[in-house]
Structures are given as C-alpha cells and as structure tokens.
C-alpha cells in the first residue's frame, strides 16, 4: 500500500511541477500578455494547502486532524504543496494522513490540469 501511495504521490509531484510554471488564462487571453495580471498556478499553492488544512481539521480521522494541527504550529515552507508532495513521495507522512490527502490532491491537481494545463496533462 505504501508503495502505491508513493507512486501516486510521485505522479502528482510530476504533474504539479509541470502545472505550476504555467500561466492562468484570465478573460479573453493569457495573463502573461500586455495589460493582464500575471498569475501562475504556483500562485494558488497556499490556497490549495489552506483548503486541505481546513478540510483536514474538520474531518473525523484523528491522525489527520493532529497532522494539520501540527502543520499550523510549524513554520511554513516557501512551497507548502510541494513540501507535502515530497513528504508523501518519500513516505514521511503517517499512512492514514497520506491515504486521506492523496485522493484530495489527485482530484484538485487533475482539475487544475483540465482547466489550466496544456492538452495532455490531465
């Protein structure tokens, strides 16, 4: 089971690495054009982790609640989503936490890929 979680986390880490460098299309064109606000998917990293943290603190899995409480008390890394994915890939998260996080991250990142990624990245 741990190997499967690590393999899936590896695939998500690869997906996020590709997605995070892309620009979000705002309005009628790419945000990187003249007059637009430049946003990269990487800019949503804190929002994604915040969403996961909020859901984790409200869930019924004690290990997940404890994990996110500890995460709140610790200094935040510059790239918290990337750090979570690396920890999951390296099997540094408790099994219950990884099993809870992984499907949520898969849904979220695949949704970003479908909406904002180049063709073939979902």
């Amino acid at each position: 089971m741990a190997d499967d979680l690590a393999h899936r986390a590896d695939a998500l880490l690869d997906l996020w690495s590709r997605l995070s460098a892309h620009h979000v299309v705002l309005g009628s064109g790419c945000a990187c054009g003249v007059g637009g606000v430049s946003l990269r998917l990487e800019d949503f990293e804190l929002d994604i982790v915040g969403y996961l943290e909020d859901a984790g603190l409200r869930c019924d899995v004690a290990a997940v609640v404890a994990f996110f409480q500890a995460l709140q008390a610790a200094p935040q890394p510059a790239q918290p989503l990337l750090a979570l994915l690396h920890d999951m890939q390296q099997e540094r998260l408790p099994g219950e936490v990884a099993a809870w996080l992984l499907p949520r991250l898969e849904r979220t990142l695949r949704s970003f890929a479908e909406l904002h990624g180049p063709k073939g990245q979902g």
Side-chain angles (χ1 to χ4, degrees), residues 16 20 22 24 38-47:
W16 179 249
S20 64
H22 292 285
V24 176
S38 181
L39 289 177
R40 293 186 327 173
L41 288 179
E42 182 179 64
D43 296 329
F44 293 98
E45 190 163 351
L46 292 175
D47 294 328

Side-chain angles (χ1 to χ4, degrees), residues 87-98:
D87 286 347
M88 204 176 316
Q89 178 195 38
Q90 298 298 313
E91 299 179 21
R92 290 188 293 242
L93 297 182
E96 272 187 299
V97 173

